[in-house]
Amino acid sequence: MYDIHQTAVELAAASARDLPGIVAVQNHTAATSHARFATRPLRMEERREWFAQFSEHGPYRMLVARRGSEVLGYACSQIYRDQEAFRETVEVSIGLVAGSRGQGLGTSLYRALFGLLADERVHVALAAIALPNDASVALHRRFGFADIGTFREYAVKNGQYMSSLWMQRLQPTPLSQPDLTSPLS
């Protein structure tokens, strides 16, 4: 079991060297819980394209918590839908190794992530939480997320129908106004 208070934990932008640890967290979570809908282990090659969306600037960020070179968890804001209309919407996600849960690491990761997003053109953050998951629902509520609705039995994993609570957090972001001084073309 990990004690995140035992030694220093670094929060930093995720880099390519963190990808194996991130995939390990995702695979472990998918194999041992219903919090991820993956039904088979993910391979590194499959996650490289997904990982490429994140950068150190802009709305699509990924932070990791690590002790030395060991990834203890991650939080990210990713593309919600690949359409221009959703350019100010992100979907957030968080994952922690089992021994790091319940010790404030998720809170630290989200605090840092939302601090970064405060300077970006992000109007709404969405979260989909597989049910039941009281800890994740409570974490999102602490960060101002509100329940939007539940997709009931919309996925199947391990022979069971799965439901998700969708939550959102609005951030004040003024819409870009057209430049009325330039001639229309």
Side-chain angles (χ1 to χ4, degrees), residues 44-130:
M44 285 285 297
E45 302 77 41
E46 294 174 291
R47 297 313 275 169
R48 287 187 204 288
E49 184 177 337
W50 166 80
F51 186 74
Q53 75 181 293
F54 303 110
S55 77
E56 291 191 33
H57 306 286
Y60 310 122
R61 306 281 186 106
M62 177 174 272
L63 298 176
V64 292
R66 53 173 107 88
R67 182 180 300 114
S69 61
E70 178 185 13
V71 172
L72 301 176
Y74 68 90
C76 65
S77 58
Q78 56 194 333
I79 296 169
Y80 169 63
R81 292 200 174 158
D82 193 16
Q83 297 169 351
E84 180 64 20
F86 296 105
R87 70 185 172 276
E88 294 184 16
T89 301
V90 296
E91 185 173 353
V92 297
S93 180
I94 193 163
L96 303 171
V97 298
S100 293
R101 296 179 190 143
Q103 299 181 40
L105 188 57
T107 298
S108 295
L109 281 163
Y110 260 1
R111 186 176 295 121
L113 178 65
F114 291 122
L116 293 172
L117 293 180
D119 295 332
E120 300 297 339
R121 290 199 59 81
V122 173
H123 181 65
V124 65
L126 301 173
I129 302 167

Side-chain angles (χ1 to χ4, degrees), residues 6-66:
Q6 188 176 40
T7 58
V9 173
E10 172 192 20
L11 300 183
S15 68
R17 72 181 173 124
D18 297 310
L19 188 55
I22 294 164
V23 172
V25 169
Q26 292 176 337
N27 282 339
H28 179 76
T29 303
T32 61
S33 78
H34 63 275
R36 288 193 55 82
F37 287 164
T39 56
R40 62 169 180 74
L42 301 168
R43 295 184 328 270
M44 285 285 297
E45 302 77 41
E46 294 174 291
R47 297 313 275 169
R48 287 187 204 288
E49 184 177 337
W50 166 80
F51 186 74
Q53 75 181 293
F54 303 110
S55 77
E56 291 191 33
H57 306 286
Y60 310 122
R61 306 281 186 106
M62 177 174 272
L63 298 176
V64 292
R66 53 173 107 88

